[in-house]
Amino acid sequence: AQDDKQSAKAKSKFLKTKYDKGKDLTTVSLKTLNLGGSMTKEVGNLQEVSQLDLDGSFTYQGAEITKPADSVTLAFKTFARYPIYQRPQNLVAVLDNDRALMLGGTGYKSNSRTFGIEEILSLSVPSDAMIKIRDAKSVKFILGAREIQLREKDHEALRELARAMSPAP
């Protein structure tokens, strides 16, 4: 039966699950979503468009999830020639184009890379907010001054992440 569960987990299109036997801890993470295409429409000069990726993950004790996870860490990563955000930003999720869900201020980290700067804006999102995002018909994130309209496949990935936060009934 263990193999069936493992193969069901392994078949996920959007998630990776990794169990650390030594720590008896499982990490569920989103396969990185590239959101760059979601921003291009509002930037005139294409060289200003940075690469924008979204990662998400949560952990739980043990090899199997037995109680719902409290939160997910979402991390928006940009890479551009010059820093874009330069400091923590507020993150708001707009659900179904009419409900704003304040998710709070992000952390901020930057790393110099060859040909540019990588910026990481991360935030812990509580499970009740993830459930609202999961149940919405459409989701748009507002990160600082940027609007990021999620494509259906990106929203589906977040839905799958939100579903994985609870044990299967």
Side-chain angles (χ1 to χ4, degrees):
Q2 188 68 29
D3 290 347
D4 293 347
K5 275 191 175 156
Q6 291 299 14
S7 62
K9 278 182 188 169
K11 285 189 184 116
S12 169
K13 198 159 112 185
F14 302 113
L15 303 180
K16 297 179 293 222
T17 302
K18 191 171 157 211
Y19 175 62
D20 180 332
K21 236 183 188 135
K23 293 181 183 151
D24 191 30
L25 196 68
T26 299
T27 302
V28 177
S29 46
L30 210 48
K31 292 176 184 168
T32 301
L33 302 177
N34 181 335
L35 303 176
S38 307
M39 291 193 317
T40 50
K41 58 184 173 294
E42 68 197 68
V43 179
N45 175 359
L46 278 178
Q47 289 192 318
E48 291 172 32
V49 176
S50 61
Q51 180 182 331
L52 179 67
D53 293 332
L54 176 60
D55 286 324
S57 65
F58 65 92
T59 57
Y60 56 85
Q61 279 303 130
E64 295 295 328
I65 190 163
T66 54
K67 62 185 196 345
D70 298 334
S71 64
V72 162
T73 299
L74 293 182
F76 291 88
K77 285 199 269 198
T78 69
F79 182 79
R81 189 174 294 164
Y82 305 103
I84 294 160
Y85 293 103
Q86 300 175 348
R87 63 180 180 275
Q89 302 291 320
N90 280 321
L91 180 65
V92 178
V94 178
L95 309 178
D96 302 328
N97 293 320
D98 66 356
R99 285 182 302 155
L101 187 59
M102 295 297 295
L103 297 174
T106 66
Y108 177 83
K109 201 163 79 174
S110 67
N111 303 307
S112 289
R113 298 267 187 256
T114 311
F115 308 121
I117 301 279
E118 176 188 54
E119 293 177 285
I120 302 165
L121 296 117
S122 59
L123 168 81
S124 179
V125 178
S127 59
D128 60 333
M130 285 303 293
I131 289 166
K132 289 175 182 160
I133 289 169
R134 178 195 73 197
D135 294 344
K137 288 175 187 62
S138 70
V139 175
K140 177 168 61 181
F141 285 120
I142 299 172
L143 181 62
R146 289 181 179 224
E147 279 192 20
I148 305 151
Q149 179 69 52
L150 289 188
R151 293 170 296 220
E152 184 51 42
K153 67 178 181 153
D154 300 328
H155 189 187
E156 188 49 46
L158 286 178
R159 284 186 183 120
E160 192 171 319
L161 185 63
R163 282 193 293 266
M165 290 175 74
S166 295

